[in-house]
């Protein structure tokens, strides 16, 4: 197969992969972010402590994360057909990709939010801040560099999932590699597909790392830096009182 024959196939497959990964990442972030924050808030000692809710949500997330993606795709075929009207193609693949990405991203969000300094949360509470204010002004802004890194990890994982979806007619670069590289013995096209995926993943990782480092070096924004300054001044104020 010549390059002129490969080029339109690669362009079409790349576009399908972009659509699948883009939409599934958006859904995973929109649904996974509040889910991950809820796991932190409802845990023991959390702002909305509720052990039952925490255990139920945590178990659902664990089940979603532990299920192999190929099995998840098969299990969701009826639901996928109900949502999209088909089980084949890039549009159908978005459904299992998004559902598989939500628990994955939620756990990463939980880990990122748990790393936020508890003293900042206490400072907002002492000033009468509500739970929503704490989430919006402290937890999310402070965890933002880690959330960017988590999003990067999720995108890369979904690219791998999308390639797997191609083995069962999901479209994209994975489907191209299987249909031409494996079934038609077009080894050159298969290795070009592998190289293309490697380059894309490397670029995404570089961009994600750069964004996370930039946010971290600039400070995490919002009211949190002022709260850290306030927290740092509190011991000094207490020392002055003791001296007096």
């Amino acid at each position: 197969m010549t390059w002129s024959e490969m080029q339109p196939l690669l362009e079409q497959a790349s576009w399908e992969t972009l659509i699948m990964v883009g939409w599934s990442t958006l859904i995973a972030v929109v649904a996974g972010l509040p889910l991950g924050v809820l796991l932190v808030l409802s845990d023991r000692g959390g702002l909305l402590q509720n052990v039952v809710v925490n255990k139920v949500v945590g178990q659902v997330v664990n089940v979603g994360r532990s299920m192999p993606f190929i099995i998840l795709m098969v299990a969701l075929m009826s639901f996928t057909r109900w949502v999209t009207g088909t089980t084949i193609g890039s549009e159908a693949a978005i459904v299992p990709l998004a559902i598989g990405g939500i628990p994955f991203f939620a756990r990463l969000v939980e880990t990122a939010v748990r790393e936020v300094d508890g003293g900042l949360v206490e400072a907002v509470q002492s000033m009468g801040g509500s739970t929503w204010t704490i989430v919006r002004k402290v937890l999310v802004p402070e965890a933002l560099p880690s959330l960017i890194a988590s999003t990067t990890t999720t995108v890369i994982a979904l690219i791998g999932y999308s390639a797997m979806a191609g083995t069962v007619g999901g479209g994209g670069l994975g489907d191209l590699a299987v249909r031409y590289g494996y079934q038609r013995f077009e080894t050159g096209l298969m290795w070009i597909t592998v190289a293309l995926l490697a380059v894309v993943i490397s670029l995404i990782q570089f961009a994600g790392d750069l964004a996370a480092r930039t946010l971290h070096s600039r400070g995490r924004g919002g009211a949190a830096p002022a709260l850290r300054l306030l927290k740092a001044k509190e011991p000094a104020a207490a020392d002055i009182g003791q001296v007096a």
Side-chain angles (χ1 to χ4, degrees):
M1 181 177 287
T2 64
W3 173 249
S4 61
E5 294 173 323
M6 293 181 187
Q7 186 175 0
L9 295 174
L10 289 169
E11 289 177 354
Q12 178 65 26
S14 299
W15 177 248
E16 291 175 351
T17 297
L18 178 63
I19 292 174
M20 287 190 293
V21 175
W23 278 107
S24 57
T25 299
L26 178 62
I27 296 171
V29 170
V30 170
L33 179 60
L35 198 60
V37 173
L38 178 62
L39 285 170
V40 176
L41 296 179
S42 62
D43 200 6
R44 295 183 186 276
L47 298 174
L48 300 175
Q49 178 175 318
N50 191 315
V51 177
V52 175
V53 171
N54 185 266
K55 293 296 183 184
V56 171
V57 174
Q59 191 60 35
V60 170
V61 170
N62 289 338
V63 171
R65 286 189 61 199
S66 63
M67 186 174 296
F69 180 71
I70 191 69
I71 297 177
L72 180 65
M73 283 191 66
V74 174
L76 291 174
M77 277 188 175
S78 298
F79 180 71
T80 301
R81 184 180 291 107
W82 177 74
V83 173
T84 64
T86 182
T87 58
I88 299 175
S90 56
E91 290 183 0
I94 292 173
V95 176
L97 283 172
I99 294 177
I102 289 171
F104 183 87
F105 185 69
R107 280 301 184 192
L108 296 177
V109 170
E110 180 189 12
T111 301
V113 172
R114 287 191 188 280
E115 295 175 354
V116 175
D117 186 0
L120 300 177
V121 176
E122 294 175 359
V124 176
Q125 283 182 307
S126 67
M127 292 186 289
S130 64
T131 300
W132 169 244
T133 300
I134 293 172
V135 171
R136 187 167 56 91
K137 294 292 188 179
V138 179
L139 295 182
V140 172
E142 283 292 294
L144 193 55
S146 296
L147 292 177
I148 295 295
S150 299
T151 303
T152 304
T153 302
T154 302
V155 171
I156 293 173
L158 289 175
I159 290 175
Y161 289 168
S162 71
M164 195 181 305
T167 63
V168 291
L173 292 170
D175 180 55
L176 182 66
V178 171
R179 285 193 295 115
Y180 286 87
Y182 177 72
Q183 295 177 350
R184 302 187 185 183
F185 303 102
E186 295 287 348
T187 307
L189 179 60
M190 182 177 67
W191 283 113
I192 290 174
T193 304
V194 172
L196 182 59
L197 285 170
V199 170
V200 170
I201 289 173
S202 298
L203 290 175
I204 292 173
Q205 187 67 62
F206 174 78
D209 291 344
L210 180 62
R213 286 196 301 267
T214 301
L215 286 172
H216 186 78
S217 63
R218 290 181 179 178
R220 293 158 181 137
L227 291 172
R228 284 197 295 271
L229 181 60
L230 176 62
K231 183 186 171 189
K233 288 181 177 180
E234 286 176 353
D239 292 341
I240 293 174
Q242 291 177 359
V243 172

